Amino acid sequence: MRIGIFSGSFDPIHTGHAMIANYASQWLDLDEVWIMVSPLNPLKEGTQPAPDSDRLAMASIVAAHCPRVRISDFEFSLPIPSYTYHTLSCLREHYPEHTFSLIIGSDNWLRFNQWKNSDKILNEFHVYIYPRPGYDIDMAFLSSSVTVMNDAPQALISSSFVRESVKEGKNLNYFLPTEVFEYILKKNLYK
């Protein structure tokens, strides 16, 4: 199968993430999308995400409502911090029957050259980039291993906005899937 890896902290997963996972699973040349919750993003050092189990549970809520979208805790078995090339290589080794691609936002693409082994990712895996408002992609510098998801819906929302809004006691209906918002409130996350 062709698997798209949509990796991130998902702290928390929000409607924008859900839209991209659902879109990628149906409109791209992929059989499944795996939402891969990362234990620690090396480019976000100094921040402490919500517990792994809570971020996985919230991602599971989204996956349950999107056919062909699964969650994965695969990175939790790998050394920290999580480097994408290492993750993709280990996935390829553990699941030789699948081919893996990476799904990232244009915000991450603009600093992709800072990623460890970014050149190896481009040489060995396909990368799908979903546009994010305010992060324009220079199409002249894209290789054949990169596809821009120009028709993907865009949502101007971020996990940091969600965390701050929860802290302030805001109602986040429509910013988060309802069950994710209920989970955050029940677990008293981001207070």
Side-chain angles (χ1 to χ4, degrees), residues 55-69:
R55 293 182 296 120
L56 275 170
M58 291 185 282
S60 294
I61 291 168
V62 168
H65 296 287
C66 301
R68 300 173 48 195
V69 175

Side-chain angles (χ1 to χ4, degrees), residues 8-26:
S9 302
F10 300 110
D11 190 30
I13 196 164
H14 53 65
T15 302
H17 294 134
M19 286 170 35
I20 291 303
N22 194 19
Y23 176 89
S25 71
Q26 296 181 80

Side-chain angles (χ1 to χ4, degrees), residues 16-185:
H17 294 134
M19 286 170 35
I20 291 303
N22 194 19
Y23 176 89
S25 71
Q26 296 181 80
W27 276 270
L28 298 181
D29 189 25
L30 298 170
D31 296 304
E32 286 184 353
V33 169
W34 292 1
I35 297 174
M36 184 154 309
V37 179
S38 298
L40 180 65
N41 181 331
L43 295 179
K44 292 184 181 178
E45 288 183 21
T47 61
Q48 183 60 43
D52 297 344
S53 59
D54 289 322
R55 293 182 296 120
L56 275 170
M58 291 185 282
S60 294
I61 291 168
V62 168
H65 296 287
C66 301
R68 300 173 48 195
V69 175
R70 312 280 177 259
I71 63 151
S72 174
D73 63 357
F74 187 81
E75 280 196 331
F76 294 138
S77 65
L78 301 177
I80 294 176
S82 305
Y83 292 109
T84 302
Y85 178 73
H86 184 250
T87 299
L88 290 169
S89 296
C90 289
L91 282 166
R92 182 173 52 194
E93 183 180 310
H94 280 79
Y95 302 101
E97 70 277 17
H98 299 320
T99 58
F100 293 95
S101 299
L102 180 64
I103 301 168
I104 63 171
S106 57
D107 55 330
N108 282 312
W109 177 252
L110 292 182
R111 59 182 182 179
F112 192 72
N113 62 342
Q114 297 173 20
W115 290 26
K116 186 173 183 174
N117 297 316
S118 59
D119 55 334
K120 289 184 178 182
I121 294 171
L122 292 174
N123 287 331
E124 299 176 31
F125 301 94
H126 195 85
V127 178
Y128 291 98
I129 305 171
Y130 59 89
R132 290 196 67 196
Y135 300 96
D136 295 332
I137 301 166
D138 188 342
M139 303 298 274
F141 293 102
L142 298 181
S143 69
S144 61
S145 64
V146 176
T147 300
V148 178
M149 300 159 51
N150 286 317
D151 295 329
Q154 298 180 36
L156 188 54
I157 184 172
S158 68
S159 294
S160 57
F161 167 81
V162 170
R163 290 191 303 272
E164 190 60 33
S165 299
V166 169
K167 192 179 196 180
E168 295 172 1
K170 306 285 189 196
N171 179 315
L172 290 174
N173 286 334
Y174 307 109
F175 295 98
L176 297 166
T178 303
E179 292 172 66
V180 171
F181 188 36
E182 290 169 354
Y183 184 94
I184 289 170
L185 295 177

